[in-house]
Amino acid sequence: KEITLTTGLSVNINHQINNWLGIKGNYSWNRILVDKDDPLIPAYNTPENKFNIGLSGRNMKIGGIKNWNWGLTFRWIEGYTFESSPQFSGRIPAQYFLSGQIGKDIPKIRSSFKIAGSNLLNRRQNGLYGAPVIGRFVYASWGFQLK
């Protein structure tokens, strides 16, 4: 009898350096183990290695104005073979992304405002073979606390 197993490991570290500065990071390792090639086993489509590392600041005072928040994250994904139908199977190259955000809390009106972006370096990449590439994505948000 054939056995197919997936195995992996994920390690996360979050550390608040002081009242306003934090660092975070994680690493993931994933692998599929199969006794022999079997075309009926679904494609795994997961990179074996990936990691990210980030810095964040909260409740900062900038230019005499309080309650600023920010974050910056670097993410790397190892290249891997994406398998689907024959026309949508191929190699996904290694990729890296830089994401960031800056925000302001306004407690008086129970609100927070944020401008953020993913893939700030506008690296035209994707995670699906044959799919369109995606560049930078920037957005703004307003959050309101009801109570």
Side-chain angles (χ1 to χ4, degrees), residues 43-109:
Y44 193 51
N45 293 337
T46 300
E48 186 169 340
N49 297 286
K50 57 186 175 179
F51 77 89
N52 71 50
I53 187 164
L55 286 172
S56 62
R58 63 179 185 181
N59 300 322
M60 295 179 61
K61 187 175 183 180
I62 300 174
I65 302 172
K66 298 188 304 184
N67 299 321
W68 287 97
N69 304 299
W70 61 271
L72 195 61
T73 302
F74 175 82
R75 178 174 47 138
W76 177 83
I77 303 168
E78 182 179 37
Y80 63 100
T81 300
F82 183 90
E83 297 175 301
S84 184
S85 60
Q87 68 271 28
F88 293 113
S89 293
R91 188 83 182 145
I92 301 292
Q95 302 178 53
Y96 63 88
F97 304 93
L98 183 66
S99 301
Q101 64 94 16
I102 187 164
K104 172 80 172 86
D105 294 332
I106 305 176
K108 188 174 183 175
I109 60 171

